[in-house]
Amino acid sequence: MSDVMGLRRNYETDVLIIGGGSAGTMAAIKAKERFPGLNVTILEKAHIRRSGAIAMGMDGLNNAVIPGKATPEEYVWEITRANDGILDQRTVLYFAREGYSMVKELDSWGVKFSKDDRGDFIVHKVHMEGRYVVPMPEGSDLKRILYKKVKSRHITTINRVMATSILTRNNRVVGVTGLNVFTGEFVVIKASAVILTTGAAGRLGLPATGYLYGTYENPTNAGDGYAMAYRAGAQLTSLEAVMIVPLLKDYNGPACAYVAGPYGGYTADPDGERLTGNDYWSGELIMHMYQAKQRGQWPAFLKLDHLPEKDIAFIEHVLHSNERPSRDRFHANRGTNYRHRMLEMSLSEPSLCSGHSASGILVDEQARTTLEGLYAAGDVASVPHQYLLGAFVIGKLAGESAALYAKGASSSEPDPAQIDQEYERVYRPLHNSDGYHHEEVEYKIRRTFSQYSTPPKSGTMMNIGMERFRDIRMQDIPRLSAHDPHELGRTLEVPFILDCAEMSTMSSLYRKESRWGFLHYRLDYPTRDDVNGLYRTIVGRTPEGTMMVGQIPVPDPIITDKSSAPAQPVNK
Amino acid sequence: MTSVTKRTSPNVIVDRDKCIGCDICVQVCPMGILAMDKEKKAYMKYNECWYCLPCEVDCPVDAITVEIPYLVR
Ligand SMILES: Cc1cc2nc3c(=O)[nH]c(=O)nc-3n(C[C@H](O)[C@H](O)[C@H](O)COP(=O)(O)OP(=O)(O)OC[C@H]3O[C@@H](n4cnc5c(N)ncnc54)[C@H](O)[C@@H]3O)c2cc1C
Ligand code: SF4
Ligand code: SF4
């Protein structure tokens, strides 16, 4: 066992960012830019050089509003429809308006986007109506570029420390605790403002392969931020709108829409005919696929074999060198090739991710959560369908807002009793030398979520699922066991995953209608109810520590059709 | 309760003759599953790989080969 296991190490900073992925690195850069005198620190479970969804780059920006190609209002209207009306249009409009200047800034930093002969950004149409996809076929450098920016700006980075809890005093955030997953040290960081950018809750359901870490999302993102925000007293929303996306069967890379779609690739039925009208990833698309399955038109296939060789070669180059570059090996093992026949697709496991769907911590137009001093951005913050560019734009907003808050805030000491309690919780699994291994308990939670809480959903099934989750919480969590710092980290993720499973199931039980196509399709309430259903679910924790679900109204829409200008000025 | 050992096949293969013990792969792996053994050679210590490839791409001497995990193959 490591000789520093359990030792305490203290830090102090003005702005603390938890998670140095897309949103976190940008938040740090922009907080520092806003007030260079502030101390800005990133806490990262992995190493920021290669952490998060974009560790190996990305194929493109899925949703940039580029002048001349689309307008922010058109975009907001498109996302309002894709998300069935349940959103705060102000944050989406802010995102749409700020996206272009972010794209230009990334371009000036050396991120390589596709451009035409005149040097203008190439923009592809994938969405139902508008043109928003900006390809980055040579985008594998993206994380390296952000890493260098962080390094050059005197931002402190603490790698290999996993945040385990948010410290509060008088309903205000005062710091964070963490575990060094390499050494076992216990870390306490006092901070005036904290930004959560921990990404999706990717380890919620079981992938088709049954391999626990074969998730679509980077499995480092286990939902820690969702659970820590909940435990600290912040509110979360739309956790019933789980993310499910179409993937290649067994390989966790995107199948079609964004890269192959613009060149004529499509999702096909077994006869090679188009299965879906439009391949933009939405709950409606997944519903079309589910219905096709019920009709026997299944599996779905990725169809590229009708395309000219030069287009197939280009698509293959992008898919095999960027984002998920082990894909060539998967095909080599299976003897499959885009040229020879269509490739089997399937649906991903369910997860929570506002980047692709809507589930996240409730944030306002300044990226503030409902807990004072706590900000959130990226996949963990509810700004529907925000994808990578949203992580950057809302990350920047969170960085700037948090910096402004930290500048004016009086610093407050964390409560020693709260720290000691967390210390005890963190190291408890070391004392259960013969308890359960994290993998077994995680498997059981995720199996239960896949079988009882995944669409098509029903009240009876979800209530049984909740009983199982409660049993696991009472009987199995206290018996989790770990033997070294790494295992301890994985073990601490298990209760976070359980929190996410319960919060999502409770939200799904609350919403007695169907919405977001397949994502919240309830067999016992199969239709969408626009009279009673136009609200946002809210999950929160009562002072007694029980989970509560309720609702808040959807903020009044400011854009009610695709050409409408906002009725009132929107500022950040 | 006693525990049993589960044998699984590693999908991250390190060429020990090539490895110079620089620790880069250990640092960049997002899942934190690589480690150095007593002879300062990298190896796959935990079976939790996302087959994402930073270890392989960043190794300065091309000592790492990542295979697709058996269940995904
Ligand atoms: C395979 C894949 C393909 C995609 N393709 C595209 C695309 O082509 N175009 C597009 O626009 N979008 C795409 N996306 C979506 C986009 O990448 C994400 O929306 C975006 O990167 C999210 O950024 P984030 O900062 O929220 O999360 P991440 O970048 O994943 O960062 C989260 C960070 O938090 C860290 N972390 C987690 N828990 C803790 C903890 N407890 N303590 C400390 N640190 C922690 C993680 O290690 C990680 O570094 C894709 C996503 C995936 C997974
Ligand atoms: S492929 Fe990714 S998860 Fe697997 S060992 Fe290499 S860096 Fe780690
Ligand atoms: S990066 Fe390569 S050389 Fe360095 S420790 Fe890892 S395997 Fe060995």
Side-chain angles (χ1 to χ4, degrees):
Chain A
M1 187 96 43
S2 134
D3 48 4
V4 295
M5 175 78 97
L7 285 188
R8 296 185 189 218
R9 190 187 276 271
N10 295 300
Y11 296 88
E12 198 174 327
T13 187
D14 296 310
V15 178
L16 177 66
I17 291 126
I18 311 182
S22 319
T25 47
M26 187 60 76
I29 292 165
K30 294 298 171 184
K32 193 77 186 170
E33 229 170 68
R34 181 79 176 78
F35 294 113
L38 286 183
N39 289 317
V40 176
T41 304
I42 301 178
L43 192 68
E44 168 57 53
K45 187 194 271 186
H47 190 296
I48 69 158
R49 187 162 133 184
R50 290 287 195 188
S51 65
I54 61 166
M56 297 302 282
M58 205 113 281
D59 294 339
L61 296 175
N62 288 349
N63 53 349
V65 176
I66 305 291
K69 311 283 184 183
T71 67
E73 289 75 21
E74 283 165 353
Y75 178 78
V76 173
W77 182 236
E78 177 127 18
I79 298 305
T80 302
R81 292 204 304 165
N83 207 46
D84 281 6
I86 312 295
L87 77 175
D88 182 349
Q89 284 189 341
R90 292 166 301 181
T91 46
V92 180
L93 184 60
Y94 174 83
F95 159 74
R97 285 180 173 163
E98 295 295 315
Y100 182 53
S101 58
M102 178 59 71
V103 176
K104 284 192 296 187
E105 182 157 25
L106 292 168
D107 187 51
S108 76
W109 290 356
V111 177
K112 292 196 194 78
F113 296 102
S114 298
K115 300 211 179 131
D116 62 19
D117 299 340
R118 296 205 318 252
D120 293 336
F121 294 107
I122 291 176
V123 191
H124 288 313
K125 178 175 181 301
V126 176
H127 290 64
M128 292 291 269
E129 298 201 2
R131 212 169 252 285
Y132 307 106
V133 176
V134 179
M136 303 190 281
E138 310 298 330
S140 58
D141 269 353
L142 184 58
K143 192 67 201 276
R144 231 190 314 244
I145 291 171
L146 290 165
Y147 172 64
K148 284 192 182 149
K149 288 274 166 212
V150 168
K151 286 274 121 189
S152 68
R153 280 171 203 215
H154 305 290
I155 293 162
T156 308
T157 38
I158 307 175
N159 290 309
R160 297 295 167 190
V161 173
M162 163 191 182
T164 66
S165 78
I166 295 167
L167 298 166
T168 55
R169 199 147 206 179
N170 303 325
N171 296 319
R172 202 193 114 188
V173 172
V174 293
V176 162
T177 60
L179 171 77
N180 186 314
V181 293
F182 273 9
T183 67
E185 276 172 304
F186 187 72
V187 170
V188 178
I189 307 176
K190 184 179 148 188
S192 303
V194 172
I195 308 176
L196 268 174
T197 45
T198 45
R203 280 167 34 215
L204 189 59
L206 280 184
T209 54
Y211 177 54
L212 277 184
Y213 311 100
T215 48
Y216 171 72
E217 298 290 351
N218 184 326
T220 325
N221 299 341
D224 311 11
Y226 289 79
M228 286 188 287
Y230 160 74
R231 292 170 180 207
Q235 294 179 336
L236 295 96
T237 187
S238 297
L239 302 189
E240 70 278 30
V242 290
M243 170 192 115
I244 297 174
V245 296
L247 302 178
L248 273 188
K249 175 77 171 64
D250 295 341
Y251 187 77
N252 49 358
C256 183
Y258 303 95
V259 176
Y263 295 88
Y266 60 87
T267 308
D269 71 7
D271 295 325
E273 300 298 323
R274 248 176 212 284
L275 186 69
T276 54
N278 171 285
D279 283 334
Y280 175 69
W281 286 5
S282 65
E284 195 181 328
L285 169 73
I286 307 298
M287 185 56 122
H288 284 311
M289 296 177 80
Y290 170 75
Q291 286 167 341
K293 184 172 183 177
Q294 304 309 303
R295 286 194 301 270
Q297 248 180 316
W298 194 256
F301 292 91
L302 167 62
K303 184 164 165 52
L304 303 181
D305 56 1
H306 59 292
L307 300 178
E309 169 56 29
K310 99 174 170 351
D311 291 343
I312 300 181
F314 176 75
I315 293 167
E316 188 175 63
H317 167 71
V318 175
L319 292 177
H320 293 190
S321 65
N322 221 348
E323 202 173 284
R324 295 293 297 150
S326 62
R327 193 163 171 146
D328 55 343
R329 296 161 209 205
F330 173 78
H331 288 310
N333 287 331
R334 296 257 171 127
T336 45
N337 187 311
Y338 307 120
R339 291 164 186 82
H340 301 155
R341 58 181 161 105
M342 310 189 294
L343 300 188
E344 185 184 352
M345 289 170 59
S346 71
L347 300 181
S348 74
E349 67 286 350
S351 51
L352 303 180
C353 174
S354 145
H356 295 80
S357 177
S359 310
I361 301 165
L362 188 67
V363 288
D364 67 8
E365 341 63 285
Q366 289 173 35
R368 281 184 300 216
T369 72
T370 53
L371 183 64
E372 191 183 339
L374 185 67
Y375 297 74
D379 287 346
V380 76
S382 182
V383 178
H385 296 234
Q386 58 174 307
Y387 287 93
L388 180 56
L389 190 57
F392 291 143
V393 171
I394 308 297
K396 173 182 174 195
L397 175 68
E400 291 172 347
S401 306
L404 188 63
Y405 174 82
K407 199 155 192 320
S410 57
S411 100
S412 185
E413 282 303 317
D415 173 5
Q418 213 177 56
I419 296 174
D420 289 346
Q421 199 182 351
E422 179 63 6
Y423 183 93
E424 198 278 321
R425 186 187 79 87
V426 164
Y427 292 102
R428 199 179 305 148
L430 292 179
H431 307 299
N432 295 340
S433 56
D434 59 354
Y436 297 127
H437 189 255
H438 60 81
E439 207 168 281
E440 290 180 293
V441 182
E442 173 171 344
Y443 188 89
K444 195 181 261 192
I445 296 167
R446 291 171 60 183
R447 182 191 74 196
T448 306
F449 193 88
S450 278
Q451 291 175 358
Y452 292 92
S453 306
T454 300
K457 305 172 185 174
S458 88
T460 314
M461 289 293 283
M462 290 189 288
N463 279 316
I464 298 173
M466 281 305 292
E467 279 175 33
R468 299 297 304 121
F469 292 142
R470 280 180 200 131
D471 289 348
I472 294 170
R473 183 176 297 284
M474 300 300 288
Q475 293 160 20
D476 303 347
I477 297 293
R479 298 184 64 186
L480 277 165
S481 133
H483 297 91
D484 63 27
H486 173 88
E487 269 192 18
L488 192 53
R490 283 281 103 85
T491 302
L492 290 167
E493 290 168 347
V494 175
F496 289 157
I497 296 170
L498 182 58
D499 280 4
C500 290
E502 286 193 342
M503 288 194 287
S504 176
T505 308
M506 295 260 292
S507 302
S508 291
L509 277 165
Y510 185 90
R511 187 176 283 282
K512 295 188 173 50
E513 59 148 1
S514 288
R515 194 168 286 273
W516 301 287
F518 189 61
L519 307 184
H520 183 66
Y521 173 43
R522 280 193 64 159
L523 294 167
D524 44 357
Y525 299 98
T527 52
R528 191 170 106 179
D529 176 1
D530 278 340
V531 177
N532 302 305
L534 284 176
Y535 61 80
R536 303 170 93 187
T537 51
I538 289 292
V539 179
R541 193 180 207 188
T542 63
E544 296 72 43
T546 48
M547 199 177 280
M548 280 272 302
V549 183
Q551 58 171 276
I552 55 169
V554 172
D556 283 339
I558 40 183
I559 288 166
T560 48
D561 64 67
K562 71 175 172 183
S563 57
S564 75
Q568 65 215 45
V570 183
N571 45 26
K572 62 175 214 190
Chain B
M1 193 165 65
T2 53
S3 65
V4 288
T5 311
K6 187 167 117 191
R7 195 170 70 87
T8 48
S9 42
N11 68 297
V12 180
I13 318 293
V14 178
D15 182 335
R16 295 177 61 85
D17 293 334
K18 283 189 184 170
C19 175
I20 54 168
C22 69
D23 203 48
I24 288 177
C25 56
V26 178
Q27 286 177 35
V28 296
C29 171
M31 292 298 282
I33 60 173
L34 305 177
M36 304 302 286
D37 66 15
K38 288 198 180 72
E39 288 159 34
K40 288 279 279 174
K41 304 282 178 190
Y43 74 106
M44 183 179 185
K45 190 170 178 195
Y46 306 93
N47 195 5
E48 298 151 6
C49 175
W50 194 41
Y51 38 108
C52 50
L53 307 194
C55 57
E56 185 182 300
V57 171
D58 291 350
C59 172
V61 293
D62 293 333
I64 297 195
T65 311
V66 176
E67 292 172 354
I68 302 292
Y70 170 73
L71 285 177
V72 181
R73 226 170 279 163

